Amino acid sequence: MNTLTLWFHKIGSPPTFYRLAGRFTPWLFALAALTGLVGLYGGLVLAPADYQQSDAYRIIFIHVPSAWMSLFIYFVMAVNAFIALVWRIKLSETLAMCCAPIGAAFTAITLATGSIWGKPMWGTWWTWDARLTSELVLLFLYVGVIGLYHAIEDRRQAARAASFLALVGIVNVPIVHFSVKWWNTLHQGSTVRLLGPSAIDASMLWPLLLMALATKLWFLGSLFARARASLLELEAGKDWAREEALRTGAAP
């Protein structure tokens, strides 16, 4: 076994991951709070008003990072679901299932903030637009994964069944992303591009990117915290879990 494979096996060990995640989680939450506050201040206070939408556009500093995260988290969940189904790695099962509630929350925020913005811009809270509809389907997929996981008593069997559903639903992710290109929709196209110039002023771009970083840091912190709690419950009968539960005062 080479060094890289050995390292991955060590990190994938529940007790090792539990301890490493415990060290990083507070830092991730702290950095998320710091970058989020700076990003919000830049977007809500420093950035100028839009020449067409005035101050109503400022909801994008919540809406857009949340929309990006709704897709990103589903991708992370699907990757872990694939690993869990193919190699039966317990940590990947746990991470996949812990992704679902966080992704559902970001998707719900995306839909809510989109509706708030859509009312003054489109004159309606909701329309069966391709982007909105596919994002709603994404929320249903997250809820389906959560519901299926909690419907089966055996935790590992439940994780594998829910992982299969997560993999089936991955087809919706590119549909959400490319819906504004594939169909004639009310939703505006992408204004931020990784390759080439972005169609948004720099004074608005940097707070948006900072908010995107903040949401990713918060996601990692929340994922680690949830995974630690799930692993402690899943490994309750093992010595390391009992020792950690006694040390932290948690119930194994």
Side-chain angles (χ1 to χ4, degrees), residues 142-219:
Y142 275 124
V143 173
V145 169
I146 296 168
L148 183 57
Y149 177 63
H150 289 285
I152 301 172
E153 188 173 351
D154 185 295
R155 293 295 85 193
R156 298 207 64 187
Q157 183 182 351
R160 287 193 287 271
S163 292
F164 180 78
L165 175 60
L167 279 180
V168 171
I170 192 66
V171 68
N172 188 56
V173 172
I175 293 175
V176 176
H177 180 72
F178 292 109
S179 58
V180 293
K181 295 182 179 179
W182 291 347
W183 293 282
N184 183 21
T185 72
L186 288 173
H187 198 285
Q188 69 186 62
S190 300
T191 55
V192 179
R193 298 180 179 88
L194 292 176
L195 301 175
S198 297
I200 183 174
D201 189 79
S203 62
M204 303 172 181
L205 180 60
W206 73 261
L208 189 61
L209 295 179
L210 208 56
M211 286 299 297
L213 175 60
T215 53
K216 282 182 171 54
L217 290 169
W218 188 89
F219 161 63

Side-chain angles (χ1 to χ4, degrees), residues 10 12 21 41 59 71 80-81 120 129 140 151 172 198 200 202 215 221 240:
K10 186 176 180 181
Y41 182 76
I59 202 167
L71 300 179
N80 278 284
D129 178 87
F140 291 157
N172 188 56
S198 297
I200 183 174
T215 53
W240 78 266

Side-chain angles (χ1 to χ4, degrees), residues 22-93:
R23 295 175 189 172
F24 285 111
T25 299
W27 289 99
L28 289 167
F29 279 132
L31 288 171
L34 178 61
T35 53
L37 287 172
V38 175
L40 282 177
Y41 182 76
L44 302 181
V45 179
L46 299 181
D50 183 75
Y51 77 102
Q52 286 183 321
Q53 302 178 33
S54 186
D55 287 321
Y57 90 97
R58 297 185 191 277
I59 202 167
I60 70 166
F61 297 106
I62 301 295
H63 175 73
V64 173
S66 296
W68 289 343
M69 289 305 297
S70 69
L71 300 179
F72 175 76
I73 295 173
Y74 200 98
F75 177 77
V76 173
M77 180 175 70
V79 169
N80 278 284
F82 177 79
I83 295 171
L85 288 172
V86 174
W87 289 287
R88 303 294 180 92
I89 295 177
K90 188 181 296 184
L91 178 59
S92 289
E93 294 174 6

